[in-house]
Amino acid sequence: MFAPFKEYLEEELFNRFDLRSRSIPAGLESNVSARGKNPATIQSWCYQSEQLRKIRYSYIDAGETAQVFNSVIYPAHKYDVPLLGVDFLSFGKKKILIVMDFQPLFRDRAYVDKYIEPMAEIRDKYNELAQNLEMKFYDANQYFSKYLLFAKLDSETVVNSLFPAFQEYLELYWQMLDQAEPLTKPEDIQRIVEAQKEYDQYSAERDPAHGLFSSYFGSEWSEKFLYEFLFEDASPLA
Ligand code: BLA
């Protein structure tokens, strides 16, 4: 279902950045579920470049039952650029939930004007992808922008509308990165270190996938996957 999105992202990354592999802790790169009647696999990839500190994406394939494409791109700490977040989930053909956003590290006016307002033009072309759904796990005012794509879709809309929107948001994201002025003062950079770390902590504590991971791969593996790979700067004890 979301394989073309993953392939498009990979092509873009490899064409635009000088990527190096970034290690994934042993045992977390992939897993196969031994449970249930539908075999489920999860596979993850992780890279870095000069501009991007951590690029990770994962694909869960449980056949008809579940397909998930999840990705977060973390800019280098010298950039205050938002994180790029993607969470596309399909549970059977009927239940498809998509989320994509430039996840803001700060909420002040200057930040929003610089990094969020430019999304408006694209967002306005894709009303069917922004449905004002209520968030149950997360707080919409933290680490989400007002121009996020958040919708329940059918598979036709995924192809006809989500795919072009995905391409346009990615293009804008690369542009923002290219135009970003690197911070030079240690205290400014430290502020980004902290903000990205808080994002990991917040996300690890609320991740709605915990139950899904646990049901397929067991709670021990899930806990490790969350705290040692997906959100590795979060502390399970904090
Ligand atoms: C919701 N994301 C979900 C749900 C699951 C996942 C199972 C609940 C779906 C439901 O309502 O039934 C799945 N999350 C995952 C998976 C991974 C993960 C598989 O981290 C990792 C491999 N989530 C993100 C990112 C964004 C995001 C980067 O990981 C930002 C774009 C958003 N996911 C997001 C939102 C919801 C969601 C906003 C709805 C949650 C809510 O209602 O509060």
Side-chain angles (χ1 to χ4, degrees):
M1 166 71 73
F2 302 117
F5 293 84
K6 171 182 162 288
E7 283 155 22
Y8 183 79
L9 176 66
E10 280 175 333
E11 251 170 61
E12 285 284 296
L13 288 168
F14 279 90
N15 288 333
R16 288 172 189 269
F17 302 94
D18 187 15
L19 296 186
R20 282 170 294 138
S21 279
R22 193 176 188 280
S23 72
I24 300 176
L28 299 181
E29 319 91 327
S30 64
N31 203 347
V32 180
S33 169
R35 304 172 181 205
K37 49 181 167 18
N38 296 84
T41 62
I42 182 166
Q43 209 176 339
S44 297
W45 296 265
C46 200
Y47 300 97
Q48 59 191 320
S49 76
E50 202 271 321
Q51 287 171 295
L52 301 171
R53 178 175 81 76
K54 180 179 181 185
I55 301 160
R56 65 153 172 88
Y57 49 93
S58 301
Y59 203 100
I60 297 176
D61 182 355
E64 289 275 283
T65 336
Q67 299 261 320
V68 181
F69 177 52
N70 179 276
S71 177
V72 180
I73 295 182
Y74 297 75
H77 288 137
K78 65 183 169 183
Y79 298 116
D80 64 354
V81 173
L83 312 190
L84 183 76
V86 173
D87 200 11
F88 295 164
L89 310 111
S90 138
F91 302 100
K93 287 252 148 57
K94 289 268 148 54
K95 191 184 172 197
I96 301 175
L97 182 73
I98 64 94
V99 195
M100 179 172 192
D101 203 5
F102 292 7
Q103 301 199 259
L105 292 174
F106 307 105
R107 313 205 62 85
D108 57 278
R109 181 68 185 274
Y111 188 89
V112 170
D113 284 350
K114 187 170 177 187
Y115 293 124
I116 304 304
E117 282 307 325
M119 301 166 74
E121 199 181 319
I122 303 173
R123 153 66 187 82
D124 286 346
K125 293 201 274 184
Y126 297 100
N127 273 324
E128 72 273 34
L129 302 180
Q131 298 171 348
N132 252 313
L133 305 174
E134 205 184 321
M135 288 191 189
K136 296 182 288 254
F137 296 87
Y138 299 105
D139 173 357
N141 294 312
Q142 249 189 307
Y143 307 116
F144 288 102
S145 81
K146 59 181 159 181
Y147 301 125
L148 90 160
L149 304 180
F150 185 21
K152 291 180 178 163
L153 304 178
D154 55 37
S155 51
E156 213 165 278
T157 312
V158 169
V159 177
N160 297 330
S161 182
L162 182 61
F163 197 66
F166 179 72
Q167 293 176 311
E168 289 196 57
Y169 266 5
L170 274 186
E171 180 68 35
L172 176 64
Y173 191 74
W174 308 143
Q175 251 180 49
M176 263 182 198
L177 259 183
D178 277 339
Q179 290 164 9
E181 285 281 334
L183 302 167
T184 53
K185 288 196 219 129
E187 63 268 32
D188 291 344
I189 294 171
Q190 193 53 33
R191 187 166 163 259
I192 311 304
V193 172
E194 296 301 329
Q196 289 194 3
K197 191 175 167 177
E198 278 161 28
Y199 169 89
D200 269 17
Q201 190 68 40
Y202 177 87
S203 303
E205 283 170 7
R206 272 154 229 256
D207 200 307
H210 199 247
L212 181 88
F213 294 146
S214 296
S215 71
Y216 287 139
F217 309 114
S219 60
E220 203 180 317
W221 188 88
S222 304
E223 192 77 0
K224 267 177 82 79
F225 188 62
L226 274 171
Y227 285 95
E228 294 175 28
F229 175 59
L230 292 182
F231 307 109
E232 68 194 56
D233 293 326
S235 155
L237 303 170

